[in-house]
Amino acid sequence: MTRTTPARPVSVEAVFPELAAYRGRTTRLHPRPGRPGMRESHVGGPMLWPDAEPWPVCHDPHQPETEGYAPGEIRAARAAGAWPQSRPWRGAGAPGADGPVPFVGLAQLFRRDIPGLGSGPGGADLVQLFRCPFTHGPYLERRYRLRWRRAAEAESAERFFAAPPEVPQLRWHDELPEPCVLHPEEVDTYPWAEDDTLPAPLIARIDAWDDAQAEALGSEALSYQDDLSIPPGWRVGGYPSWASTGPMTIDCASCAAPMRLLLTADSGEMDAGSHSWVPLEDRDPDLHGIASIRGGRSVAQPTRLRFGRDRDLHVFTCPSGPGHTPRWVLT
């Protein structure tokens, strides 16, 4: 089934004509629980991974743990519509004390499914995203990894991983992605309005408009950031959101070139302030506003993943050197 973003409650360029010069495109991925195959774009599904290639592992020291969740029990609880039960940590307190920790495959994206996907080294057209399931250091840092491939070469392998290695226990149940099929849809997007992301006079007008909306309509008020600029959820390309950090300059550590947003992975597909973006297919046409949304958690948080304290994970890559180290920013 396709997913169709509703028209914006007002035309942003009618209210702020200057924004026409900043209009961009982003591809909303619209993940929904399903059974994706390894030759499909997905979140949480089987990776297209040649059997002869080692699965990525984390060798860095990890923080000690006291309790956790078994992956099999997480899956069983989700299937039953229940919450999994945590159990005392098995073995040594620090994950990886007995050897490297396998990364968890979070998503894979083919350009044939998502035309706006950037290119990797050597024209690679398939990207795979991984995360170490445990935290590192006193600031509980996370480790992510990108694997770029040429899809045709990867698909020509003789054998593939049937089941990747998996840790026996996870610290949190939201470290395990729910397998989701994708419904890519391109929509217009506009920059986050703060600091120097837009000209100061335009930001001042946007802020004044938001204030007037709030004064006139209260809880029913629209806002530029929530309703008009950047959609929530998993998306490719477009503009980054900066809700918790404020705008940041993201430059390449190798060549100092400004980096480009490749992908945003979101803890949820909506919240109380951004529900106007929920697709028409997930709404009851006889109801209005947030009350019209159907599907419960499969719409609001389909992937079951969490990034930071319910933040966005922005993945930036270097347009000048696709092989340069990507940057990961929680906002």
Side-chain angles (χ1 to χ4, degrees):
M1 179 186 292
T2 59
R3 289 294 187 275
T4 309
T5 297
R8 295 300 77 216
V10 299
S11 168
V12 65
E13 292 182 21
V15 180
F16 306 106
E18 307 97 309
L19 282 173
Y22 297 91
R23 184 195 315 137
R25 296 288 275 176
T26 187
T27 302
R28 303 189 69 189
L29 298 182
H30 296 307
R32 296 293 184 270
R35 299 183 64 182
M38 69 176 180
R39 288 178 169 83
E40 297 175 298
S41 296
H42 60 68
V43 172
M47 293 289 190
L48 182 69
W49 197 270
D51 185 65
E53 185 176 329
W55 188 262
V57 296
C58 183
H59 296 272
D60 294 345
H62 302 91
Q63 286 290 92
E65 306 291 356
T66 57
E67 58 181 344
Y69 300 83
E73 293 182 0
I74 297 173
R75 296 186 179 99
R78 289 177 181 174
W83 290 95
Q85 181 178 349
S86 64
R87 302 187 182 280
W89 195 260
R90 305 175 186 176
D98 300 323
V101 169
F103 274 77
V104 175
L106 300 187
Q108 74 173 14
L109 305 174
F110 291 85
R111 189 178 304 118
R112 65 193 180 210
D113 300 325
I114 307 164
L117 183 68
S119 295
D125 56 353
L126 163 61
V127 66
Q128 297 167 317
L129 174 66
F130 298 85
R131 177 170 70 179
C132 175
F134 303 113
T135 55
H136 307 75
Y139 301 107
L140 306 182
E141 298 170 354
R142 306 307 303 267
R143 301 284 188 269
Y144 293 91
R145 182 171 297 182
L146 283 186
R147 177 64 166 91
W148 285 98
R149 300 181 183 278
R150 296 185 185 89
E153 290 180 4
E155 291 175 316
S156 67
E158 293 184 4
R159 292 187 301 276
F160 302 92
F161 261 78
E166 190 171 71
V167 294
Q169 205 166 7
L170 296 163
R171 176 60 187 94
W172 302 104
H173 57 83
D174 48 23
E175 294 294 336
L176 185 70
E178 182 73 10
C180 287
V181 296
L182 305 182
H183 306 87
E185 177 201 21
E186 285 193 305
V187 299
D188 289 336
T189 184
Y190 300 88
W192 189 261
E194 187 179 357
D195 293 348
D196 59 355
T197 59
L198 290 168
L202 177 54
I203 291 178
R205 287 182 55 221
I206 290 172
D207 290 342
W209 184 83
D210 282 351
D211 291 342
Q213 288 282 310
E215 183 176 351
L217 300 174
S219 62
E220 297 296 318
L222 302 175
S223 78
Y224 173 80
Q225 309 286 40
D226 285 341
D227 298 293
L228 305 181
S229 61
I230 301 171
W234 286 66
R235 55 198 183 272
V236 165
Y239 292 106
S241 55
W242 302 108
S244 62
T245 63
M248 302 168 62
T249 299
I250 309 297
D251 293 332
C252 178
S254 299
C255 68
M259 302 189 86
R260 179 171 55 201
L261 180 63
L262 173 74
L263 167 69
T264 297
D266 202 333
S267 296
E269 292 292 299
M270 58 161 279
D271 57 27
S274 62
H275 62 82
S276 70
W277 294 93
V278 172
L280 297 174
E281 292 81 1
D282 298 311
R283 291 182 178 272
D284 184 332
D286 295 327
L287 298 176
H288 175 71
I290 197 168
S292 70
I293 299 168
R294 302 175 297 185
R297 195 161 192 175
S298 67
V299 170
Q301 196 186 20
T303 70
R304 302 294 185 98
L305 290 167
R306 189 178 184 192
F307 298 93
R309 295 180 178 177
D310 295 322
R311 299 181 182 181
D312 292 349
L313 170 71
H314 294 317
V315 183
F316 291 89
T317 56
C318 179
S320 300
H324 294 172
T325 302
R327 290 188 62 179
W328 323 90
V329 182
L330 280 172
T331 67

